[in-house]
Amino acid sequence: MTLTSHAIVLLAKLFSGFTVRWVDCQPDTCQRIYFANHTSHLDAVVLWSALPKEIRALTRPVAAKDYWSGGWFKPHIAASFNALLIDRKEIRVHKSPIDSMIRQMGDIYSLIVFPEGGRSAGEEMSDFKSGLYYLGKKRPDLELVPVYMENLNRILPRGEVLPVPLLSCITIGAPIFLEAGEPKADFLRRARQSVLQLKDL
């Protein structure tokens, strides 16, 4: 890890004061897709920082290229936590974000994704987009690990630039898999529910 990477982890812990709970899931360096609710631009950084060091080194948060590529500071930060930047505006049939994720993770990296697509405006989680389904379909060997992140929206509210130090909780739950022949809509509902149920634990 670079000096900037270490600084990101320390600052993420300072501002979010996160605690991490592993429920029916153990930290492991095997390839996984961590999928979480999304309420803040800090979500990717905080979840990545909350993983154990050996897992963090093998995990890439998927983030929006249009947000993280502006200026000189954001690209530097994104590179420091090994973000996989996806262009949400230039999606083409032969330039699929899913294919890019699969290609760049290879047989080494895990990913952090936010299936809602954009940040939720309030406490209610939005419906999941289809990306998680296609990741599970193209890589059925991967564990799909639900994560619920609480209080991140209050640390960096929508429209604010500077974070407000508060305590947050990250709950990592039992892996799920895409079942053979499972319809897309059914899987996405089940995946969303697997995140929501962590809220009440």
Side-chain angles (χ1 to χ4, degrees):
M1 288 176 65
T2 66
L3 186 61
T4 305
S5 301
H6 284 293
I8 288 171
V9 173
L10 290 174
L11 287 172
K13 191 155 193 174
L14 173 67
F15 281 108
S16 69
F18 59 73
T19 57
V20 184
R21 299 185 302 159
W22 295 78
V23 179
D24 297 324
C25 181
Q26 296 299 318
D28 199 303
T29 55
C30 67
Q31 275 194 295
R32 288 170 163 171
I33 303 287
Y34 297 93
F35 63 98
N37 58 311
H38 194 21
T39 60
S40 167
H41 282 308
L42 289 178
D43 291 344
V45 176
V46 171
L47 179 49
W48 178 80
S49 299
L51 295 172
K53 183 179 179 181
E54 64 276 11
I55 299 176
R56 194 162 62 233
L58 296 172
T59 304
R60 303 188 65 182
V62 175
K65 185 177 181 181
D66 53 289
Y67 178 80
W68 287 101
S69 60
W72 66 270
F73 182 69
K74 287 180 182 177
H76 176 67
I77 296 299
S80 297
F81 64 88
N82 202 17
L84 196 166
L85 300 183
I86 294 298
D87 194 332
R88 298 182 295 183
K89 298 180 179 180
E90 293 293 326
I91 297 175
R92 302 188 181 96
V93 174
H94 300 296
K95 196 179 180 182
S96 162
I98 301 301
D99 289 339
S100 178
M101 292 180 209
I102 295 293
R103 183 172 62 255
Q104 292 194 54
M105 72 186 300
D107 58 359
I108 297 174
Y109 290 104
S110 293
L111 297 180
I112 294 171
V113 301
F114 301 96
E116 294 169 90
R119 290 170 294 150
S120 298
E123 295 290 330
E124 185 68 22
M125 276 176 58
S126 301
D127 291 338
F128 281 7
K129 307 292 186 187
S130 59
L132 184 65
Y133 169 80
Y134 289 112
L135 283 170
K137 190 171 184 178
K138 293 194 176 214
R139 286 292 306 271
D141 57 307
L142 297 179
E143 292 186 349
L144 308 175
V145 180
V147 181
Y148 185 78
M149 306 180 70
E150 189 171 11
N151 230 20
L152 268 294
N153 60 317
R154 295 185 177 93
I155 294 169
L156 186 63
R158 184 180 289 269
E160 296 297 323
V161 176
L162 296 176
V164 179
L166 288 171
L167 298 180
S168 61
C169 181
I170 299 169
T171 305
I172 301 173
I176 67 170
F177 295 88
L178 174 63
E179 303 291 344
E182 184 175 15
K184 179 173 67 174
D186 290 354
F187 168 76
L188 293 175
R189 277 194 295 269
R190 182 165 65 89
R192 182 176 180 273
Q193 186 58 37
S194 72
V195 174
L196 278 174
Q197 69 185 13
L198 298 175
K199 180 180 180 178
D200 301 319
L201 296 180

